[in-house]
Amino acid sequence: MEENQKNVPAKRVDIVSVKLVREKTMMYKNRRVRSPQDAYELMKEFLGDVDREHFVVLCMDTKNQPTNIQVVHIGSLNSSIVHPREVLKSAILSNSASIICGHNHPSNDTTPSPEDIAVTQRLMEAGQIVGIDVIDHLILCENNFRSLKESGYM
């Protein structure tokens, strides 16, 4: 050891465990997500009438059965900042096979922004690295939605 390291106090390292915490539950009558419409209905019911942009991730098992849903980020009236690590965190912790992302547009316009398209691409790349399939990204509005997969962005 170098002379100047002998008098340095030891560094405390925390010993931790990481787990998901269930805050509440909701019933899903379809049991499986078979289409973007199914995912839209579940996300819409979960979000209700929010007035700001909410980015959510729907985690699913190998049979496309929802296991959990989480609000990853709450943005301003017209924007949201989303990082892949936050989106994939609950999917990794719950051993999900796949996810569907979604966010609402309070403007009621389902047109994806350049940022929506860019974040979708980043999520797909990150999902590939960790082995979680990003199935779709939905833009939710009051009475309709847009699937970025069906629109050719994925």
Side-chain angles (χ1 to χ4, degrees), residues 53-58 70-76 78-89 99-105 113-124 126 134 136-138:
E53 195 165 294
H54 285 60
F55 194 99
V56 300
V57 60
L58 173 62
Q70 177 196 20
V71 174
V72 176
H73 184 76
I74 300 173
S76 64
N78 61 357
S79 72
S80 177
I81 299 169
V82 179
H83 295 284
R85 68 177 172 265
E86 301 303 322
V87 174
L88 293 170
K89 191 182 299 183
I99 62 171
I100 297 177
C101 299
H103 73 282
N104 63 312
H105 276 184
S113 69
E115 293 80 14
D116 293 339
I117 295 164
V119 80
T120 301
Q121 293 301 317
R122 285 186 25 227
L123 290 172
M124 289 172 49
V134 180
D136 207 340
H137 182 170
L138 305 180

Side-chain angles (χ1 to χ4, degrees), residues 26-34 38-39 42-43 57-69 94 96 98-100:
M26 63 185 281
M27 299 301 290
Y28 182 59
K29 65 181 186 309
N30 294 339
R31 296 202 53 89
R32 286 188 181 162
V33 174
R34 293 183 171 90
D38 288 350
L42 179 57
M43 288 180 182
V57 60
L58 173 62
C59 299
M60 297 180 297
D61 64 16
T62 56
K63 296 178 181 176
N64 281 358
Q65 297 179 109
T67 55
N68 64 65
I69 189 167
S94 61
S96 298
S98 60
I99 62 171
I100 297 177

Side-chain angles (χ1 to χ4, degrees), residues 40 44 49 104-106 108-110 140-145:
Y40 165 72
K44 186 74 175 140
D49 294 325
N104 63 312
H105 276 184
N108 258 338
D109 180 1
T110 61
L140 296 84
C141 289
E142 192 172 321
N143 294 313
N144 61 345
F145 72 98

